[in-house]
Amino acid sequence: METRKLIFAALAGSLLAFGCNRAESPKEVQKDVADAQQDAAEQTSEAREEVASSYGEGQEQVAENQYDLAVTEAEGTHKVAIEACEATSGSEQEACKARADEELAAAKQRAETLKPQ
């Protein structure tokens, strides 16, 4: 009985692993990208409001909010890119997601220059 459970668990795990790199339908990708864009726009708008409202609070607070805005924008762009990668499959999808991750890391590194010292 335990052997059956172990085999079933291994089979289920392998199916999940292989299913992760399957392409989604164009319609599903389009919806996911639109949802990610909407979410990113809302979060970016909130971060911009924080920057605008902090101008009377001192340069350090403004810089901190500008950093937060840059990170928010980078993360939103990353989410959209990852959703767009779902249109591809296999190694192409992996490469697409890796590029998106690299671009996120680079954007976050650029944002570090905005942080108050």
Side-chain angles (χ1 to χ4, degrees):
M1 188 68 162
E2 287 297 316
T3 305
R4 280 188 179 178
K5 287 181 183 178
L6 189 59
I7 291 172
F8 179 73
L11 181 60
S14 65
L15 288 175
L16 287 174
F18 287 115
C20 291
N21 289 334
R22 290 184 46 209
E24 292 180 355
S25 72
K27 191 173 188 172
E28 190 173 348
V29 170
Q30 185 178 18
K31 180 190 177 313
D32 291 346
V33 167
D35 290 345
Q37 287 172 330
Q38 175 74 28
D39 186 44
E42 289 171 5
Q43 291 181 1
T44 299
S45 178
E46 290 172 10
R48 286 194 176 139
E49 288 174 17
E50 287 290 321
V51 170
S53 68
S54 66
Y55 278 110
E57 299 176 24
Q59 191 60 27
E60 190 169 312
Q61 186 61 48
V62 172
E64 184 68 36
N65 288 343
Q66 287 175 333
Y67 165 78
D68 291 343
L69 172 60
V71 170
T72 299
E73 288 176 333
E75 289 174 346
T77 300
H78 179 258
K79 287 178 187 176
V80 171
I82 292 294
E83 291 299 338
C85 291
E86 296 293 325
T88 62
S89 62
S91 61
E92 188 177 337
Q93 186 182 93
E94 289 176 23
C96 181
K97 288 181 177 182
R99 278 191 306 275
D101 291 344
E102 290 170 5
E103 290 171 8
L104 174 62
K108 285 185 172 183
Q109 192 171 24
R110 285 190 301 272
E112 286 292 323
T113 65
L114 300 172
K115 264 188 163 178
Q117 303 300 327

